[in-house]
Amino acid sequence: MRAPLCLAHHGTEVRLTTYLVTGGAGFIGSHLADALLAEGHHVRVLDDFSTGRTENLDPRCEVMRGDVCDPAAVRRAMVGASGCFHLAAVASVVRANEDWLGTHRVNLGGTITVYDAARALGGVPVVYASSAAVYGNVSGVAREDATPAPRTAYGADKLGSEQHAGVGLLVHGVASVGFRFFNVYGPRQDPSSPYSGVISIFARAIGAGEPITLHGDGSQTRDFVFVADVVQHLVAGMQHLADRPGAYLLNVCTGRETSIRELAEAIGVATRRKPVIKDGPARAGDIAQSVGSPRLATITLGLHERTSLADGLATLLASLSGQRSLERV
Ligand SMILES: NC(=O)c1ccc[n+]([C@@H]2O[C@H](COP(=O)([O-])OP(=O)(O)OC[C@H]3O[C@@H](n4cnc5c(N)ncnc54)[C@H](O)[C@@H]3O)[C@@H](O)[C@H]2O)c1
C-alpha cells in the first residue's frame, strides 16, 4: 500500500514526519518546504545561504546553517528524517565553468555526502535535483534513455550525481529519484538565474516599456516548467520510493517548446504591453533546442497535469508586481 506522505500514526500518538531539504532556502527548495509544511510535515532545512535567503523560509522550518559537503553536518541534519530532498548546489553553469573544482566539491561531493549519510542512517530515501544539462545538445525531444553528453562542468557533475545514485542503490541500498529539471520558473527566482531569470528580466523591461535584447534572433527554444509542478514531482517521487524503492531518473518538463522570442511575446500578452524586441549577438555555446519528454514521469508518478506557460506567467507576474502576495515572495 502507498505510504501516505502525511502525519504518521503510531498507536494513539500522532507523530510528525520529518523531511530534510538541503538547499531549502533557495528558489525551488523553499517552495518545496512550503508544500511539505502544508501537508503537516516537519521540515528541516540545511543551507549555507550562499544564494538562499532567510526571507524565502517559512518560520516553521527548522533551519540548520551548514555546508552540504560537511559529513557531520549532513548526518546531524538527516537524523530522524524519513527522507531527504537534496537540492543544494551551485546552480549556475557559468560559475561551474569558472570555478571547476570549487563547484565540483559542492555539486558532486555534496551529493555523495548526502548519499553517504543516507547509507549510514540505514537507507534514508533521497530525492535529488539533477538537470536537463546532462543531455547536452540533444536534437529533438530529450527522453531519459538518450545518451547523456553534458557540455558543462555543471552538467557533468549532475550526471555524476545520477551515477553515484545508481551505485547508492546497488551497493548501499539507498533508494533515490533523480529529477532532470528543465527551465524552472516562478516566484522567488533570482533574475540572474541562467535558467529562467530571463522571464523576470523580460517582464520588468516590458512592463517599463524598455526594449529587450535577445541573444541572436531568439529562435532558441526552452522547456519552461512552473515551480509548483516541480514541487509536485518531488513530493510524488518521495511517495513512489515508499512503494517501490529503486534508483529512478525522470524528466521534469512540459514537453512544450517555447522560443525566447515567443516567450517575450507571451509576457507582452500577459502584461498587455507590446514588447520592443531587438536582436543581439548570439551567445557562444548556447543550446539551440531544449525540450524534454514528460511521458516517463507521467506514467511513473501518475502526474498528468502541468501548468500552462500562460497560467504560470500570470502567477509569476502577479507576484513580481506585488498584486498578489504569493506566500513570502
Ligand atoms: N532553477 C532551475 O531551472 C534548475 C534547473 C535544473 C536543475 N536545478 C537544480 O535544482 C536545485 C535547486 O536550484 P534553485 O534554482 O532553487 O537554485 P538556488 O540557488 O535558489 O538554490 C540552491 C540552494 O542551495 C544552497 N547551497 C549552495 N551551496 C551549498 C552548500 N555548499 N551547502 C549548503 N547549501 C548550499 C544555496 O544557498 C541555495 O539556497 C539545484 O540542485 C539546481 O542545480 C535547477
Side-chain angles (χ1 to χ4, degrees):
M1 207 184 86
R2 180 171 289 264
L5 199 60
C6 61
L7 293 175
H9 294 261
H10 296 268
T12 51
E13 181 199 355
V14 177
R15 215 173 62 194
L16 282 177
T17 306
T18 296
Y19 287 101
L20 169 63
V21 181
T22 75
F27 162 48
I28 300 170
S30 64
H31 283 283
L32 171 66
D34 286 348
L36 294 171
L37 288 168
E39 291 272 336
H41 303 299
H42 178 71
V43 177
R44 195 177 292 149
V45 166
L46 176 70
D47 203 298
D48 71 351
F49 292 87
S50 49
T51 57
R53 300 187 320 165
T54 312
E55 310 85 89
N56 286 345
L57 283 171
D58 186 299
R60 289 173 293 172
C61 291
E62 177 189 351
V63 180
M64 297 177 76
R65 186 180 282 267
D67 185 350
V68 74
C69 307
D70 174 349
V74 174
R75 198 185 296 197
R76 255 196 321 274
M78 208 182 284
V79 167
S82 302
C84 171
F85 294 92
H86 172 51
L87 300 174
V90 180
S92 162
V93 167
V94 174
R95 272 198 57 202
N97 282 341
E98 282 167 7
D99 180 13
W100 193 356
L101 259 182
T103 54
H104 172 70
R105 179 184 152 273
V106 179
N107 290 354
L108 185 55
T111 303
I112 298 174
T113 308
V114 166
Y115 299 154
D116 194 40
R119 173 192 64 83
L121 293 169
V124 175
V126 179
V127 170
Y128 64 97
S130 182
S131 169
V134 301
Y135 289 116
N137 234 344
V138 167
S139 69
V141 180
R143 288 188 352 190
E144 291 84 344
D145 58 2
T147 305
R151 293 163 63 89
T152 59
Y154 171 79
D157 282 334
K158 290 294 189 186
L159 181 58
S161 301
E162 294 182 354
Q163 294 185 333
H164 279 273
V167 172
L169 182 72
L170 277 176
V171 181
H172 303 294
V174 174
S176 63
V177 182
F179 282 112
R180 294 174 172 173
F181 301 164
F182 280 65
N183 286 65
V184 186
Y185 70 99
R188 296 183 207 153
Q189 181 155 48
D190 180 349
S192 67
S193 157
Y195 292 107
S196 314
V198 63
I199 295 184
S200 314
I201 294 166
F202 281 6
R204 284 207 177 89
I206 294 169
E210 293 164 9
I212 53 170
T213 307
L214 307 180
H215 294 296
D217 62 1
S219 62
Q220 59 278 47
T221 61
R222 296 291 180 264
D223 188 330
F224 292 104
V225 56
F226 191 56
V227 67
D229 296 346
V230 177
V231 167
Q232 262 203 327
H233 280 71
L234 291 166
V235 172
M238 188 63 82
Q239 277 179 334
H240 191 72
L241 288 180
D243 260 357
R244 294 162 193 255
Y248 299 87
L249 291 173
L250 298 171
N251 285 343
V252 181
C253 59
T254 66
R256 285 187 297 270
E257 238 177 311
T258 305
S259 75
I260 302 301
R261 185 174 286 275
E262 284 166 347
L263 174 70
E265 282 158 5
I267 295 172
V269 170
T271 54
R272 298 197 194 89
R273 298 270 188 125
K274 187 159 176 52
V276 182
I277 300 175
K278 291 182 173 172
D279 291 355
R283 221 169 19 180
D286 215 3
I287 287 180
Q289 184 191 29
S290 174
V291 59
S293 165
R295 191 162 178 272
L296 188 60
T298 301
I299 294 168
T300 309
L301 303 178
L303 297 174
H304 297 279
E305 298 293 324
R306 309 250 180 333
T307 307
S308 69
L309 184 62
D311 286 350
L313 281 180
T315 307
L316 172 60
L317 293 171
S319 79
L320 285 176
S321 66
Q323 286 163 10
R324 184 170 146 220
S325 156
L326 230 188
E327 310 117 327
R328 290 164 310 290
V329 170

